[in-house]
Amino acid sequence: GAVVSQHPSRVICKSGTSVKIECRSLDFQATTMFWYRQFPKQSLMLMATSNEGSKATYEQGVEKDKFLINHASLTLSTLTVTSAHPEDSSFYICSVSLRTSGGATDTQYFGPGTRLTVL
Amino acid sequence: QKEVEQNSGPLSVPEGAIASLNCTYSDRGSQSFFWYRQYSGKSPELIMSIYSNGDKEDGRFTAQLNKASQYVSLLIRDSQPSDSATYLCAVNTLRDDKIIFGKGTRLHILP
């Protein structure tokens, strides 16, 4: 079954508005979640690592004031795209890090993604 | 040198044949290796993980790992049109316990 859920799956908004995307881990606690962005026909780009109870770690070139991440509980991380513009239109995907039995390191499981369209 | 490299493709394989996807990585100390499948417009889905040298089989999928040569491959037997997707190779580096993804190989199974 699904390990991670995201909401909403699709959102269309006007330029200048803010959009919040939720990522939830199902049936387990996730101290670390990741946020990715993927433009059409492009590869996954890691935006930030979300740590429960502390500030997110952003990748180089990702504006932390534009992409606000809150990981307030062990099952929920949110990404808020502030003052969205058409160039922010993309597929946003979260993932959770889970140590499976027999695994030497964590494995990442992805949510279904959120398609953002900014008009 | 890129950390995880894959041929972008597209790789075209006739239905019923074996599809072979390859990946090389730069961090010699990497311990965990993953293959994800991503259909167009969807998020990646984990299909295989491998931690030890050799082969690991799961249904029609076989992952192969050679740490000495720093490559990992995925074989898909009896390829089906539904296998057409982008396959992402991912490696967990020891440096910061972060999973690094390749850019993916587009696979097209010809009916």
Side-chain angles (χ1 to χ4, degrees):
Chain A
V3 175
V4 187
S5 69
Q6 266 184 259
H7 179 78
S9 58
R10 184 181 296 269
V11 58
I12 301 173
C13 69
K14 292 183 178 180
S15 184
T17 60
S18 294
V19 175
K20 179 186 284 188
I21 302 170
E22 292 185 349
C23 177
R24 293 183 184 274
S25 60
L26 306 176
D27 300 326
F28 68 95
Q29 298 177 333
T31 56
T32 303
M33 294 183 177
F34 303 89
W35 286 97
Y36 293 83
R37 178 170 56 182
Q38 188 174 38
F39 294 106
K41 300 189 186 302
Q42 300 289 314
S43 58
L44 282 174
M45 287 178 48
L46 178 65
M47 299 176 66
T49 302
S50 172
N51 302 297
E52 189 270 335
S54 64
K55 291 183 179 180
T57 303
Y58 290 82
E59 296 299 302
Q60 191 173 10
V62 178
E63 299 175 58
K64 62 180 181 180
D65 294 330
K66 181 169 181 61
F67 299 99
L68 301 179
I69 292 173
N70 185 306
H71 194 153
S73 78
L74 288 171
T75 59
L76 174 65
S77 176
T78 61
L79 168 67
T80 301
V81 183
T82 62
S83 187
H85 292 284
E87 57 265 30
D88 298 322
S89 298
S90 187
F91 191 42
Y92 291 86
I93 314 171
C94 72
S95 72
V96 300
S97 199
L98 185 63
R99 183 67 57 95
T100 55
S101 61
T105 59
D106 290 350
T107 301
Q108 280 193 32
Y109 294 89
F110 288 89
T114 297
R115 189 162 302 283
L116 170 64
T117 303
V118 185
L119 302 176
Chain B
Q1 182 185 7
K2 295 179 182 177
E3 295 190 72
V4 180
E5 291 202 58
Q6 297 181 255
N7 189 316
S8 62
L11 174 65
S12 295
V13 174
E15 183 176 357
I18 296 175
S20 178
L21 303 162
N22 300 312
C23 170
T24 59
Y25 59 94
S26 61
D27 188 339
R28 185 170 287 279
S30 299
Q31 288 191 333
S32 304
F33 308 86
F34 309 93
W35 282 100
Y36 289 82
R37 176 178 61 200
Q38 186 176 23
Y39 292 114
S40 180
K42 302 294 185 181
S43 65
E45 171 193 11
L46 178 69
I47 54 173
M48 289 284 286
S49 59
I50 186 167
Y51 308 105
S52 306
N53 276 329
D55 295 1
K56 179 181 178 182
E57 187 175 316
D58 183 1
R60 295 187 296 113
F61 299 99
T62 299
Q64 299 176 317
L65 175 61
N66 185 322
K67 290 186 178 181
S69 301
Q70 294 175 243
Y71 84 78
V72 56
S73 62
L74 179 70
L75 302 178
I76 306 175
R77 290 181 299 281
D78 188 23
S79 297
Q80 303 296 311
S82 59
D83 295 325
S84 297
T86 296
Y87 289 80
L88 304 172
C89 172
V91 176
N92 189 305
T93 65
L94 283 181
R95 276 184 285 108
D96 50 13
D97 201 24
K98 186 182 289 186
I99 293 181
I100 306 297
F101 287 86
K103 293 187 180 301
T105 298
R106 284 184 294 134
L107 175 64
H108 181 49
I109 305 301
L110 304 169

